[in-house]
Amino acid sequence: MDTPILEMRNITKEFPGVKALSNVSFSVAQGEIHCLVGENGAGKSTLMKVLSGVWPYGTYTGDIFFNGELQSFKHIADSERAGIAVIYQELALIPELSVYENIFIGHEIGNGFTVDWNETIKRANEMLARVRLDVNPATKIRDLGVGKQQLIEIAKALSRNVKLLILDEPTAALNEDDSENLLNLLREQKAQGVTCIMISHKLREVLAIADTVTVLRDGQTVCTLDAHKGEVTEQVMIKHMVGREIDNIYPPRVGHQPSEDVVFEVRNWRAYDPALGRTVLKDMNFKIRKGEIVAFAGLMGSGRTELALSLFGNPTHYQISGEVYVQGKPVAFGHPREAIKSGVAYLTEDRKGNGLILIQDVKQNISLANLEELAHRGIVDANAEIKVANEYRASLNIKTPTVAQKVGNLSGGNQQKVCLGKWLFVKPNILILDEPTRGIDVGAKYEIYTIMNQLVQQGMSIIMISSELPEVLGMSDRIYVVSEGRITGEVPTAEATQEIIMQMATN
Amino acid sequence: MFIKDLQRILKQNIREYGMYIALFVIMIIFTIATDGIFISSRNISNLLNQTGYIAVLAVGMTLVIVIRHIDLSVGFLAGFLGAIAAIALAFWKLPMVVVIPLVLVLGALAGLFTAFPVAQLKIPAFVASLAGWLIYRGALLLVTASTGTIIIANDTFNAIGNGFIPDIPGVEGFLPGVHKLTLLLGLAAIVLFVISQLNDRKKKQSYNFETLPMNVFILKLVFIALVLAAITWVLAGYNGLSWTVVVVLIVVAVYHFITTQTVLGRHIYAVGGNPEAAELSGINVKKITYVVFASMGLLSALSGILFASRLQSATVTAGTLFEMDAIAAAYIGGVSAAGGVGNVMGSLIGSLVTMSLTSGMNLMNIDIAYQYVVRGAVLLGAVIFDVATRNRGK
């Protein structure tokens, strides 16, 4: 290949306590489609954020050369000006505005004061033709499907004479036809000289479209593979993606066997999201036994959190159908409260967003879901509350000066333990843990794993949603793999490998 | 050492103490500017009576803002329900013991009516309650259209806004001109306050929670006891405790208890602190929304009763701008628009601040135009102060 259009050299980016990127070098040749693959948390999105100026120059170390020049983007606008456009998973279109307004938003055509709408519509039509989308440019974005919205994002990027187009999991929300359509479009743009970086979890797509593939793992470049030399195969990519050894960061569970009693069963579970206008869960069937840790593996966005929420009283208001049995009895939860009363608890993946009340203290957060138990005739027994909070503080080893400390002041690991304490206090039989160790340090992870082991030994059943394969393999008894809202596989952990799971998850 | 402690504690808790200091400063400024008329028994007694109908609204508004909503309809709702009370007394000849509960229930129903679009249809409370503002204004004009101002001739009812609690009989000879029962109640309040503070401190220490250093704690006790004693003495020197003040104190005490000691109160603050987390923790956010708006409606009705009773009549313009005074009082009292933060004691102080400004400036014969400007500036200052000190409190 000729001279690279983009070269990132020795990029290191640290967040408090975590090294997200460590000495990453990444080079993209002019006019190619370069795929970036890796597990969740490997650093792909961070790398693209460094490139586009979301993390401004100075907050990382290393050099970025674009078009042969050393760049120091301080803002997204800087990288856009240089000819880089990023299309994120969450589309950045404004739903209430029309297609043509969206395409030229921020770059309006006119004399700088008034907008020339006729010219705007004419140019919008040209752009729509270029992405081969046949819609009226006056249509509102909200009336279009996700697939078409994606194409409009691309049209928007092309209208700015983009030289390097970056797509972050562009097909994650698309069906097969739309995905195929998108890939064809990328090939056409390549023919017209647009260079493209695509982040994807769907390895078959990568196989179909990539000229070059770079694999990231744990914030480092593992290798760069050339498709034209036949170096890119699914097996090779998976091997490099997961390549990590499972070390002994998982405490052993001794002398415990899950029983045969099924405590939780879901049959023909479907959910339709009226807000997104698509079916998010399709015909899911599974069982959980007493004293078992069952992992739900899969990639982000595969539908696992949606599954958990739809089962936990459906606070997101999906239209659901199917049957749920708790201890053999059919149940239908209309509110999280009812699920909690039946012994089901759900620890969220987003503890700051919808798990904790950061402005309240440790004891108030722990008692939140079961305040009635501490109250007599509606009056809270403050002493009993402190006592309970102190018990969980001791048993979960929550590091805080007192239980009157505001939760917002604690570290991530301790916040997670407070969340866990809240759910243990409702004394559930079935505990759903959604990414229980996301964003916390190794020591706290080990403690949470140890607690999980103790809980199943006491007869609790745990559903663990996790995107980290080593964690799935290290902690679970049995694994369900979820992909695009379906259960695509079930394996006993003893027979599972990272490769097998990855294969099912990227189907 | 003592001074250093005091400085540190004032700095750490500036958010909490800020409004008390503001009230204190305002009162001193007006006392000096009016040669002591402001602090006279008569004026303070009047000031407290005027504060009553705003204070009860501010208490309800505090909870509405805590759960991240707003209610603009409360002013005209109070005016309208005050008129209903007047009509019931004057034209329907209903006894007061029937009228007051009836009007309070109507208020609570009106609150549920405002809550419905907010909780069920997710319509912003600003819009839903603006509709209520218009509707109740129209309703007030409608019911007073044929009669104009409705005079209330019921002395018992009018005593709520104008009367004072009776003195202990048979002790006229002792301390003449001073209201003995008021003195006694004030003394009881001081004793109860000191005992509860001591208990609270002992309990906190037994759990190793942070408490004030002993000297600062004593200073705080002495200071508040002195303030209470001064208020008691000033009031006892006029006609004693008014019924309005009694009503307000009961409302504040009940709401303070509900918000700090009950499951309901904790759920309200949880919803305000993080509605998604509250919902996922099994709290019914819709139900809390209904309860808080119903309480707001109930207190609007009470405010309407206090105001009608004070004027001894229902007027066509009753309730005008009450909602703005109540919202301002709540913000001055430290409620945060971000939700989950604020308490009813603060809002009571906030009401006193706004009413002290009005009363003091009236005494100084300041033009009404400038009065609005000053009150606006104080509100703005209070909110800026709140935002500036928000991170320090954490």
Side-chain angles (χ1 to χ4, degrees):
Chain A
M1 293 262 173
D2 42 1
T3 48
I5 183 171
L6 169 74
E7 220 187 331
M8 300 178 80
R9 284 188 202 150
N10 307 326
I11 304 289
T12 296
K13 166 80 190 163
E14 286 182 52
F15 294 108
V18 207
K19 216 173 202 178
L21 295 174
S22 147
N23 222 11
V24 170
S25 292
F26 178 58
S27 159
V28 179
Q30 176 78 45
E32 69 166 348
I33 296 181
H34 195 129
C35 286
L36 200 51
V37 299
E39 279 188 297
N40 294 324
K44 307 177 300 275
S45 294
T46 312
L47 187 65
M48 291 304 106
K49 282 181 177 165
V50 165
L51 172 57
S52 61
V54 171
W55 304 122
Y57 179 74
T59 63
Y60 59 88
T61 60
D63 299 322
I64 299 174
F65 291 90
F66 183 65
N67 270 336
E69 284 169 41
L70 183 63
Q71 305 285 357
S72 52
F73 301 135
K74 292 205 173 58
H75 194 267
I76 305 172
D78 296 342
S79 64
E80 275 186 5
R81 216 169 294 132
I84 298 175
V86 190
I87 297 172
Y88 293 102
Q89 259 168 294
E90 311 84 35
L91 299 176
L93 298 170
I94 300 170
E96 287 299 328
L97 293 184
S98 67
V99 167
Y100 65 83
E101 284 170 302
N102 266 287
I103 291 179
F104 292 100
I105 200 157
H107 297 259
E108 287 80 2
I109 302 166
N111 57 15
F113 183 63
T114 56
V115 177
D116 182 346
W117 290 116
N118 290 327
E119 180 66 17
T120 302
I121 293 169
K122 194 178 134 228
R123 295 263 300 270
N125 273 321
E126 290 167 20
M127 286 302 149
L128 290 174
R130 209 172 148 190
V131 297
R132 291 210 268 144
L133 183 59
D134 184 22
V135 297
N136 182 340
T139 319
K140 278 187 182 178
I141 292 295
R142 53 173 293 176
D143 297 328
L144 297 176
V146 192
K148 287 181 177 167
Q149 292 188 12
Q150 194 91 50
L151 294 178
I152 286 166
E153 278 277 14
I154 294 173
K156 184 173 158 186
L158 294 177
S159 76
R160 293 169 196 187
N161 295 320
V162 64
K163 298 190 188 76
L164 176 64
L165 184 64
I166 302 168
L167 299 119
D168 191 352
E169 295 206 45
T171 60
L174 303 189
N175 62 29
E176 284 188 13
D177 284 351
D178 283 346
S179 301
E180 194 52 44
N181 193 7
L182 184 87
L183 296 186
N184 282 332
L185 179 69
L186 292 183
R187 289 193 190 99
E188 270 169 40
Q189 297 310 319
K190 176 179 139 186
Q192 295 191 21
V194 177
T195 312
C196 185
I197 299 175
M198 184 169 101
I199 297 178
S200 182
H201 281 308
K202 296 185 183 167
L203 298 184
R204 269 193 228 150
E205 284 176 13
V206 172
L207 220 46
I209 200 169
D211 295 306
T212 315
V213 175
T214 293
V215 184
L216 286 186
R217 187 174 70 219
D218 297 334
Q220 289 174 313
T221 322
V222 181
C223 60
T224 299
L225 308 166
D226 189 339
H228 302 293
K229 292 184 190 153
E231 292 171 354
V232 178
T233 68
E234 235 174 289
Q235 282 70 29
V236 170
M237 282 190 281
I238 288 178
K239 194 182 114 218
H240 287 300
M241 279 162 73
V242 297
R244 185 173 8 165
E245 295 299 314
I246 300 179
D247 32 24
N248 56 349
I249 59 167
Y250 303 98
R253 218 181 315 155
V254 276
H256 171 70
Q257 283 297 319
S259 84
E260 284 301 309
D261 310 344
V262 173
V263 290
F264 191 70
E265 186 173 358
V266 172
R267 288 188 204 150
N268 306 321
W269 195 250
R270 295 175 67 86
Y272 174 81
D273 185 346
L276 286 179
R278 67 188 174 101
T279 305
V280 288
L281 303 173
K282 297 155 206 158
D283 295 313
M284 298 183 119
N285 291 284
F286 63 89
K287 291 175 185 172
I288 311 294
R289 298 192 178 87
K290 188 172 159 66
E292 196 179 28
I293 298 182
V294 179
F296 277 69
L299 299 164
M300 276 184 215
S302 57
R304 295 163 303 162
T305 298
E306 289 81 354
L307 171 65
L309 285 173
S310 70
L311 293 170
F312 186 65
N314 195 19
T316 38
H317 305 294
Y318 296 139
Q319 292 162 13
I320 48 180
S321 67
E323 296 140 58
V324 184
Y325 299 88
V326 173
Q327 324 272 13
K329 281 185 224 115
V331 290
F333 303 136
H335 191 273
R337 158 165 303 246
E338 293 163 23
I340 294 167
K341 281 211 174 112
S342 294
V344 180
Y346 168 71
L347 181 125
T348 171
E349 61 174 338
D350 181 10
R351 62 178 166 267
K352 286 188 178 175
N354 54 26
L356 295 165
I357 301 176
L358 297 173
I359 56 171
Q360 294 192 353
D361 61 27
V362 173
K363 60 181 159 50
Q364 287 169 319
N365 273 283
I366 287 180
S367 64
L368 185 65
N370 198 12
L371 208 48
E372 284 82 0
E373 188 172 311
L374 295 171
H376 185 63
R377 290 186 188 170
I379 297 164
V380 180
D381 182 342
N383 287 318
E385 183 180 35
I386 292 165
K387 208 169 138 239
V388 164
N390 272 324
E391 280 166 23
Y392 284 107
R393 177 186 166 202
S395 67
L396 302 178
N397 193 22
I398 301 170
K399 291 184 194 75
T400 173
T402 70
V403 291
Q405 177 73 244
K406 290 220 172 90
V407 169
N409 295 338
L410 303 183
S411 73
N414 285 306
Q415 287 182 349
Q416 189 70 330
K417 289 182 196 166
V418 172
C419 259
L420 195 56
K422 169 170 87 176
W423 290 117
L424 295 183
F425 182 48
V426 309
K427 302 181 181 75
N429 300 315
I430 298 128
L431 179 60
I432 306 172
L433 302 175
D434 197 348
E435 305 284 0
T437 62
R438 176 182 290 172
I440 65 181
D441 62 70
V442 181
K445 274 186 185 180
Y446 189 87
E447 288 181 283
I448 285 179
Y449 295 143
T450 310
I451 294 161
M452 285 167 65
N453 282 342
Q454 287 166 357
L455 293 174
V456 287
Q457 262 157 6
Q458 291 157 15
M460 201 184 281
S461 307
I462 294 180
I463 295 175
M464 179 180 75
I465 296 172
S466 174
S467 300
E468 287 183 42
L469 289 180
E471 177 174 281
V472 166
L473 292 171
M475 286 306 298
S476 67
D477 297 297
R478 204 150 52 84
I479 302 165
Y480 287 105
V481 183
V482 181
S483 172
E484 299 183 32
R486 285 177 206 279
I487 292 183
T488 52
E490 179 193 349
V491 263
T493 307
E495 297 165 20
T497 63
Q498 300 195 47
E499 285 78 6
I500 291 174
I501 298 171
M502 200 43 116
Q503 204 109 42
M504 291 171 172
T506 50
N507 243 332
Chain B
M1 186 61 202
F2 173 64
I3 300 295
K4 252 193 192 153
D5 273 352
L6 193 63
Q7 275 178 341
R8 181 177 59 85
I9 281 147
L10 277 180
K11 235 182 193 166
Q12 277 172 355
N13 298 297
I14 189 76
R15 235 174 114 79
E16 202 181 317
Y17 298 149
M19 58 200 165
Y20 292 95
I21 297 169
L23 180 61
F24 199 66
V25 169
I26 287 169
M27 295 185 102
I28 287 180
I29 289 173
F30 282 130
T31 304
I32 295 168
T34 60
D35 293 329
I37 301 172
F38 182 83
I39 203 76
S40 70
S41 293
R42 188 193 166 83
N43 189 55
I44 290 295
S45 182
N46 263 327
L47 170 68
L48 291 180
N49 281 354
Q50 280 165 5
T51 309
Y53 50 87
I54 294 303
V56 292
L57 285 181
V59 165
M61 193 63 76
T62 306
L63 299 191
V64 175
I65 299 176
V66 160
I67 64 163
R68 308 181 175 193
H69 290 304
I70 195 80
D71 193 342
L72 299 177
S73 69
V74 297
F76 284 117
L77 178 60
F80 170 61
L81 290 174
I84 294 290
I87 290 169
L89 290 166
F91 303 148
W92 304 343
K93 309 285 181 208
L94 291 176
M96 191 183 91
V97 285
V98 175
V99 171
I100 289 180
L102 175 78
V103 169
L104 292 179
V105 168
L106 285 179
L109 289 176
L112 292 176
F113 177 71
T114 312
F116 177 77
V118 178
Q120 228 64 36
L121 310 173
K122 309 280 172 223
I123 287 174
F126 188 93
V127 180
S129 64
L130 185 60
W133 188 95
L134 290 164
I135 291 168
Y136 299 130
R137 174 159 213 192
L140 173 60
L141 290 175
L142 207 63
V143 296
T144 53
S146 55
T147 53
T149 299
I150 304 163
I151 306 291
I152 302 171
N154 186 322
D155 287 339
T156 332
F157 183 83
N158 290 340
I160 303 172
N162 301 289
F164 297 85
I165 60 169
D167 204 351
I168 310 161
V171 287
E172 287 81 4
F174 175 67
L175 281 174
V178 177
H179 199 273
K180 266 75 69 181
L181 183 58
T182 301
L183 275 188
L184 213 60
L185 289 173
L187 195 68
I190 292 170
V191 171
L192 279 177
F193 171 76
V194 172
I195 290 174
S196 82
Q197 285 286 307
L198 284 172
N199 278 337
D200 186 50
R201 182 181 170 82
K202 217 187 281 170
K203 209 169 76 186
K204 276 192 176 152
Q205 278 173 339
S206 74
Y207 291 117
N208 285 324
F209 290 175
E210 204 184 345
T211 50
L212 297 176
M214 198 56 184
N215 44 20
V216 179
F217 176 70
I218 290 172
L219 182 78
K220 181 184 161 191
L221 281 191
V222 169
F223 181 78
I224 294 178
L226 278 178
V227 170
L228 285 174
I231 294 171
T232 306
W233 183 252
V234 169
L235 287 181
Y238 188 54
N239 286 325
L241 218 50
S242 69
W243 285 114
T244 300
V245 171
V246 172
V247 169
V248 171
L249 287 179
I250 291 172
V251 167
V252 170
V254 168
Y255 272 77
H256 181 72
F257 180 77
I258 291 175
T259 51
T260 56
Q261 308 289 320
T262 67
V263 174
L264 174 65
R266 295 283 295 275
H267 283 180
I268 291 170
Y269 281 78
V271 169
N274 187 340
E276 289 85 18
E279 181 86 5
L280 281 182
S281 299
I283 296 170
N284 191 333
V285 176
K286 269 186 197 171
K287 191 182 102 187
I288 296 294
T289 310
Y290 278 115
V291 168
V292 168
F293 274 94
S295 116
M296 182 75 256
L298 182 94
L299 291 175
S300 306
L302 184 60
S303 169
I305 290 169
L306 289 173
F307 190 66
S309 154
R310 179 152 181 83
L311 295 188
Q312 308 190 3
S313 62
T315 64
V316 194
T317 56
T320 309
L321 287 183
F322 282 15
E323 68 282 349
M324 292 301 155
D325 282 336
I327 293 167
Y331 277 116
I332 290 171
V335 174
S336 159
V341 175
N343 63 70
V344 295
M345 286 301 285
S347 298
L348 176 64
I349 302 298
S351 314
L352 283 171
V353 168
T354 42
M355 276 305 162
S356 298
L357 285 173
T358 310
S359 161
M361 288 190 290
N362 279 338
L363 286 178
M364 287 169 71
N365 285 321
I366 292 177
D367 188 280
I368 187 77
Y370 293 114
Q371 291 199 16
Y372 278 118
V373 174
V374 170
R375 283 164 62 192
V378 168
L379 172 61
L380 190 63
V383 179
I384 290 172
F385 174 82
D386 180 67
V387 172
T389 55
R390 184 165 298 163
N391 294 321
R392 213 172 301 176
K394 279 182 187 165

